[in-house]
Amino acid sequence: MQEVLNLWNWIYANQIAFSLVSVLLMLIAGFISSLVCKVFLRGIVRRFILHSHKQTDHVKEQRISRRLANVVPVVTIYFMLQLINGLPNPLVEAIRTICGVLFIINITMLINELLDTTINAYTRRHGAKAGSIKGYVQIGKIVVSSIATILVIATLSDKSPGIIISSLGAVAAVLMLVFQHTLISLVANIQVSSSHVVQLGDWIDMPAGNISGEVTDIALHSVSVRNWDNTLSQVPTKNFITETYTNWQPMFESGGRRIKRSIFIDQSSIAFASRELLESLESTESGKITSMAKYLEQRVGTGSNQQLIDHGLTNLGLFRGYILDYLKQREDIRNDMYVIVRQLSPTAEGLPIEIYCFTSNVFWAEYEETQSDIFEFMYATAGYFKLGIYQKPSGIDVSNTWPQSRKRAV
């Protein structure tokens, strides 16, 4: 016991040895406090910060617990420094400065971790379609980091933070130049988020960047889009204000997706409807809708060829009416929205007959199936009305028109 006392008296009398032992004791106390915090803080973080009683989100628990555990040793060393007398003033000031800097840095990182948890908490409460607050969280991180930087500089220089802030006025122009993209992105992110023009899960189309896909992330500087070919595109947030794009999400919400497509009729095949044409149509049964005979009875009734001509009935007019009736009887076509079969201006490829309607199948595969079904039916039934579908002649078509003697000569 006497030897231990003599050793302590020697250490206390020797300033260098006393300083080394004091620093070592403070480090040991900080290490022990860090271990204790890591053991007991996870449950507190899970219950009071993450608001979860289940052992989920292990990564978040570990990260927040680690940040808290890093703050406690710094505070422990700082308070132990106040209790130990006899240390040299330069060493005391150095330890205080280091503790102050580490405290600011760890508190800043802890606040940033807590800001990250608000994104998941907001999504769980309001749903993924409520809008992204990631941009606002990133703005908060920038503000917190900027304040922390000023406090660290003030701590290292032993000056008031007010003096540091006032001195930044001289370099304001430089800061504006350095952070111009951040400021532009900040304004753009606020406009995009507040107006809800783009949200997570929306299908957007941006022809300028050849982008078409689902929005997966909305950040301060960029919006992430997973294209339908499984590539990932990063679009600057400001582009959603300065460039043209299409958001298909309102179409999904309306429950009706537009079909707007044409077939080309050979104009030379258009003629007045004759009694012979009607009789041939009446004998044709369609497995798709009501029989052709019933449709013709409702449309034209009975009459001679001259009466049909006098009424201006044409085979194309009958065809358009028949297709319109067919569309209205389909269960996947929205009759509460526009259902139109119309002519467009004639072209060198023929007379366009356009289908303009809305289908309740808004998803891609079902939509394409409905559209294909309609146009296959139109192509198949046009011949019953003595209408020709225009198609540019190919080499085989031209070859088939040559006389056999000409072919053999060639």
Side-chain angles (χ1 to χ4, degrees):
M1 188 66 181
Q2 185 63 34
E3 294 178 355
V4 174
L5 185 60
N6 293 335
L7 178 62
W8 172 251
N9 290 333
W10 178 84
I11 292 174
Y12 190 77
N14 191 320
Q15 192 175 36
I16 296 177
F18 180 72
S19 300
L20 292 175
V21 171
S22 299
V23 171
L24 181 62
L25 289 175
M26 286 187 288
L27 292 176
I28 293 174
F31 179 73
I32 294 173
S33 64
S34 176
L35 291 179
V36 173
C37 289
K38 288 180 179 178
V39 173
F40 292 101
L41 282 177
R42 291 194 64 177
I44 298 174
V45 169
R46 184 188 309 126
R47 184 166 185 177
F48 295 101
I49 297 180
L50 298 179
H51 301 288
S52 175
H53 297 280
K54 300 179 180 180
Q55 293 185 357
T56 56
D57 298 331
H58 296 290
V59 176
K60 296 185 183 66
E61 290 178 9
Q62 291 176 359
R63 290 170 63 179
I64 296 176
S65 300
R66 185 170 64 252
R67 301 305 179 195
L68 282 172
N70 290 340
V71 173
V72 174
V74 175
V75 176
T76 302
I77 292 173
Y78 183 82
F79 280 104
M80 285 190 66
L81 183 65
Q82 312 303 315
L83 299 176
I84 299 175
N85 297 321
L87 291 175
N89 288 332
L91 179 62
V92 173
E93 291 299 325
I95 295 176
R96 284 179 179 174
T97 302
I98 294 173
C99 288
V101 171
L102 292 177
F103 181 80
I104 294 171
I105 293 175
N106 287 315
I107 287 294
T108 302
M109 298 175 73
L110 175 61
I111 294 175
N112 288 340
E113 292 289 348
L114 294 176
L115 287 174
D116 285 335
T117 62
T118 60
I119 299 176
N120 297 325
Y122 180 85
T123 303
R124 285 197 303 266
R125 183 171 182 179
H126 299 282
K129 300 299 293 181
S132 174
I133 62 169
K134 188 173 182 179
Y136 297 111
V137 170
Q138 290 181 330
I139 295 170
K141 286 183 177 182
I142 292 175
V143 173
V144 171
S145 300
S146 300
I147 295 174
T149 302
I150 294 173
L151 292 177
V152 168
I153 295 174
T155 302
L156 293 174
S157 61
D158 196 20
K159 294 182 179 179
S160 171
I163 298 176
I164 303 299
I165 294 174
S166 62
S167 63
L168 293 177
V171 293
V174 178
L175 292 175
M176 290 289 290
L177 181 63
V178 172
F179 293 104
Q180 60 175 330
H181 295 294
T182 300
L183 294 175
I184 294 173
S185 298
L186 169 61
V187 175
N189 189 278
I190 292 175
Q191 292 182 347
V192 169
S193 301
S194 60
S195 58
H196 301 289
V197 293
V198 176
Q199 299 181 26
L200 293 176
D202 286 2
W203 171 14
I204 65 168
D205 226 344
M206 188 171 286
N210 196 23
I211 295 171
S212 179
E214 180 182 0
V215 176
T216 58
D217 187 36
I218 301 177
L220 176 61
H221 296 89
S222 64
V223 175
S224 299
V225 179
R226 181 172 294 280
N227 298 305
W228 299 127
D229 58 358
N230 285 330
T231 58
L232 188 65
S233 299
Q234 297 284 344
V235 184
T237 309
K238 61 182 179 63
N239 286 15
F240 288 90
I241 299 175
T242 60
E243 294 186 8
T244 303
Y245 68 96
T246 301
N247 190 339
W248 293 88
Q249 192 60 32
M251 177 270 295
F252 289 105
E253 295 173 354
S254 68
R257 185 169 180 177
R258 188 184 69 177
I259 296 176
K260 185 177 182 291
R261 207 169 117 186
S262 305
I263 66 171
F264 290 87
I265 301 296
D266 189 345
Q267 299 177 67
S268 62
S269 65
I270 302 174
F272 284 109
S274 63
R275 176 50 57 186
E276 292 76 12
L277 174 62
L278 298 182
E279 290 175 354
S280 66
L281 291 174
E282 288 173 353
S283 62
T284 303
E285 291 291 332
S286 171
K288 293 285 185 181
I289 59 171
T290 314
S291 68
M292 192 86 74
K294 185 176 180 181
Y295 164 73
L296 294 174
E297 182 181 353
Q298 295 174 349
R299 179 69 190 271
V300 299
T302 60
S304 63
N305 287 343
Q306 187 59 44
Q307 289 175 327
L308 295 174
I309 294 175
D310 291 341
H311 284 85
L313 291 176
T314 63
N315 56 350
L316 180 58
L318 292 175
F319 178 68
R320 287 191 297 103
Y322 181 60
I323 296 301
L324 181 62
D325 190 44
Y326 162 73
L327 293 174
K328 290 182 177 179
Q329 292 188 43
R330 287 184 63 102
E331 294 182 355
D332 52 0
I333 297 298
R334 296 284 299 268
N335 285 311
D336 56 336
M337 297 182 177
Y338 287 111
V339 182
I340 300 173
V341 180
R342 62 172 183 166
Q343 293 184 26
L344 300 181
S345 299
T347 67
E349 286 74 27
L351 180 65
I353 302 299
E354 183 183 75
I355 300 297
Y356 192 101
C357 62
F358 292 84
T359 174
S360 57
N361 295 325
V362 296
F363 295 103
W364 190 15
E366 293 84 355
Y367 167 78
E368 293 294 344
E369 183 65 26
T370 298
Q371 184 172 241
S372 299
D373 197 19
I374 291 172
F375 279 89
E376 287 167 5
F377 181 79
M378 291 178 64
Y379 283 116
T381 54
Y384 293 123
F385 291 85
K386 308 303 181 185
L387 291 171
I389 304 298
Y390 179 83
Q391 178 175 299
K392 288 184 178 180
S394 64
I396 296 177
D397 297 326
V398 175
S399 177
N400 290 336
T401 60
W402 288 5
Q404 293 296 325
S405 59
R406 182 76 177 274
K407 292 180 180 180
R408 286 193 296 268
V410 174

